[in-house]
Amino acid sequence: MASIELKNICKKYENGFEAVKDFNLKIKDNEFIIFVGPSGCGKSTTLRMIAGLEEISEGELWIDGKKMNGVSASDRDIAMVFQNYALYPHMSVRKNIAYSLKIRKEKKDVIEKKVQEAASILGLEGVLDRKPGQLSGGQKQRVAMGRAIVRNPKVFLMDEPLSNLDAKLRGQMRVEIADLYHKLGTTFIYVTHDQTEAMTLGTRIVVMKDGVIQQVDSPQNLYHKPANQFVAGFIGTPPMNFIEGVVNFAPGGVFVETEDGKVEMPPEKAECLKRRNLSGKRVVLGIRPEHIDIAGENEMSHKKAVIDVYEMLGAEAMIYLSQKGSKEKLIARIDGTMPLCAGETVNLRYNLSKIHVFDITTGKTITN
Ligand code: ATP
């Protein structure tokens, strides 16, 4: 177990490109931290700086109260699992797992005991004498984790460990990694661009964009209280819908006037918009697909739209909506038993207590 602190960490590559900018994070013992973000946002670079595989251009890295800038990767007591497994193809699974212990000149019986323990945790007992070429993708990934486990590291770093696996195996291995984390009780830092992995594995998630942290929070808070429009759009599948409009303080209430009509803000959001004196200001409304309902003929509706595509997923269905003459598209997640089909016109009603309002210029959340 280990606590880690990154203080004002920056990475500038030799060509002058700034991949990570002023990264600050305190990681407690036994946390499962996820770095997530679009391709090229600096996730792997940050992880590699923690591992000691990439030089830190500016800032300080502390592990368990010791400054680690300049300490070699092998002296950091960290194990890293890569997406390409990095196994030795000519060695058996047993020898692959034992390799680091052999280098450390551990006693034979100690090595055997640790290999057996790791194999039992990972369900690899039956394949210890096989070579990597005789294993499935999932088994290879487990061997890579086995190699990390026997070192008994303070920290596990994982860089997209599941990205070479098919969807079903990914799901299975995800559960296995969660189980491993609970069994080992060690600090994990895990890089992924897959938000399902991020949301299901992380105790806290760091969302990055262009080398800059956008929000560090629990999966629940990222979903329900995004700090800005980028996080709101990045976390959640299908993504949050965004609708532009202008704030209007009318005698009957506070509204956001959109292309299709006005959306009345519930009291606490209205209060917030008033407090900030945002009358006349252009904003972006955010509404998740599950917070759009189909309204009946005579019920209050916020918008009429045509179903372009109807995707039946079983218990629920996704409907992709548009309005004639408008470029704006919406996605709604509805009950799969609703008898709807493509081409139909429907009345939509927003669950206003769940609506988000963002500043159109900065993207920052005005109300959650
Ligand atoms: P991905 O999900 O695609 O792996 P990432 O978020 O892990 O992306 P990084 O690998 O950390 O991204 O790279 C961050 C940025 O730094 C990218 O724009 C990348 O092109 C750039 N970069 C990486 N290595 C170097 C290098 N050696 N020299 C210059 N730029 C680099």
Side-chain angles (χ1 to χ4, degrees):
M1 290 208 287
S3 58
I4 300 171
E5 187 170 2
L6 293 99
K7 287 188 193 168
N8 310 105
I9 294 274
C10 299
K11 177 69 191 180
K12 199 175 198 174
Y13 281 109
E14 271 175 21
N15 63 0
F17 182 75
E18 276 186 82
V20 179
K21 299 165 197 163
D22 200 22
F23 191 107
N24 286 285
L25 183 67
K26 275 186 186 176
I27 302 173
K28 294 192 275 298
D29 264 359
N30 199 16
E31 274 201 278
F32 198 132
I33 293 286
I34 306 272
F35 294 167
V36 72
S39 182
C41 70
K43 313 179 284 291
S44 297
T45 302
T46 309
L47 197 75
R48 290 169 62 80
M49 285 193 280
I50 297 173
L53 302 174
E54 200 72 72
E55 204 182 306
I56 296 169
S57 310
E58 266 178 55
E60 294 177 359
L61 170 72
W62 293 76
I63 299 180
D64 270 351
K66 276 194 208 147
K67 194 169 163 192
M68 285 289 152
N69 302 50
V71 174
S72 75
S74 54
D75 293 331
R76 290 191 186 190
D77 212 353
I78 275 173
M80 185 139 166
V81 179
F82 299 92
Q83 82 183 63
N84 61 3
Y85 321 130
L87 303 180
Y88 298 109
H90 58 286
M91 286 186 194
S92 66
V93 168
R94 184 189 306 280
K95 285 193 173 151
N96 261 288
I97 295 179
Y99 188 74
S100 64
L101 301 176
K102 211 171 158 201
I103 296 285
R104 270 202 231 156
K105 299 201 174 358
E106 287 277 7
K107 284 189 190 138
K108 259 192 171 168
D109 55 332
V110 174
I111 295 180
E112 186 51 29
K113 188 166 168 266
K114 287 195 170 183
V115 170
Q116 286 297 341
E117 272 171 13
S120 133
I121 289 174
L122 296 163
L124 289 170
E125 296 103 320
V127 297
L128 282 174
D129 295 315
R130 286 200 208 162
K131 299 262 169 66
Q134 300 166 307
L135 301 176
S136 70
Q139 286 168 328
K140 281 184 204 161
Q141 193 48 265
R142 272 185 239 142
V143 177
M145 288 197 269
R147 282 200 320 194
I149 290 174
V150 291
R151 292 178 50 195
N152 199 17
K154 279 187 189 163
V155 186
F156 274 91
L157 303 182
M158 298 193 167
D159 194 354
E160 306 247 12
L162 308 184
S163 59
N164 285 338
L165 307 179
D166 66 42
K168 190 164 173 234
L169 204 47
R170 272 181 95 106
Q172 202 178 314
M173 288 299 295
R174 205 172 64 218
V175 176
E176 288 184 22
I177 289 177
D179 190 36
L180 187 67
Y181 164 65
H182 292 299
K183 277 182 186 148
L184 297 178
T186 307
T187 309
F188 275 56
I189 308 178
Y190 187 105
V191 162
T192 182
H193 62 266
D194 179 325
Q195 51 144 316
T196 312
E197 272 169 34
M199 295 293 275
T200 52
L201 287 171
T203 50
R204 274 195 308 157
I205 300 174
V206 180
V207 183
M208 295 178 72
K209 179 182 169 238
D210 300 334
V212 178
I213 294 183
Q214 303 294 306
Q215 189 170 358
V216 181
D217 225 320
S218 65
Q220 290 81 356
N221 280 349
L222 283 183
Y223 193 77
H224 297 292
K225 294 179 184 297
N228 59 37
Q229 196 180 341
F230 173 80
V231 175
F234 189 78
I235 299 288
T237 326
M240 187 183 280
N241 297 290
F242 296 118
I243 307 156
E244 286 186 23
V246 177
V247 179
N248 179 10
F249 295 173
V254 173
F255 299 89
V256 173
E257 312 268 359
T258 72
E259 243 186 18
D260 317 301
K262 48 189 186 178
V263 180
E264 185 173 4
M265 294 291 104
E268 74 286 5
K269 293 188 203 301
E271 218 25 69
C272 179
L273 294 170
K274 274 188 181 162
R275 231 182 9 252
R276 295 185 180 209
N277 202 17
L278 295 179
S279 183
K281 175 114 173 127
R282 276 195 84 74
V283 292
V284 178
L285 296 180
I287 181 118
R288 296 225 177 260
E290 62 271 31
H291 299 140
I292 299 180
D293 292 327
I294 306 293
E297 265 308 304
N298 302 318
E299 286 180 277
M300 204 272 288
S301 158
H302 292 110
K303 183 186 178 86
K304 249 189 193 340
V306 177
I307 302 179
D308 291 332
V309 178
Y310 175 89
E311 271 183 359
M312 166 47 103
L313 300 174
E316 59 185 20
M318 299 299 164
I319 51 174
Y320 296 75
L321 303 138
S322 67
Q323 268 188 324
K324 279 200 186 83
S326 164
K327 277 185 279 170
E328 204 176 73
K329 303 266 182 198
L330 293 180
I331 307 175
R333 186 197 298 264
I334 57 161
D335 189 330
T337 59
M338 284 192 110
L340 295 170
C341 59
E344 234 176 288
T345 300
V346 284
N347 287 317
L348 303 178
R349 188 183 46 231
Y350 307 143
N351 178 346
L352 295 178
S353 66
K354 304 288 186 187
I355 218 155
H356 304 257
V357 186
F358 303 101
D359 184 307
I360 203 164
T361 319
T362 63
K364 283 193 181 150
T365 298
I366 298 171
T367 76
N368 259 323

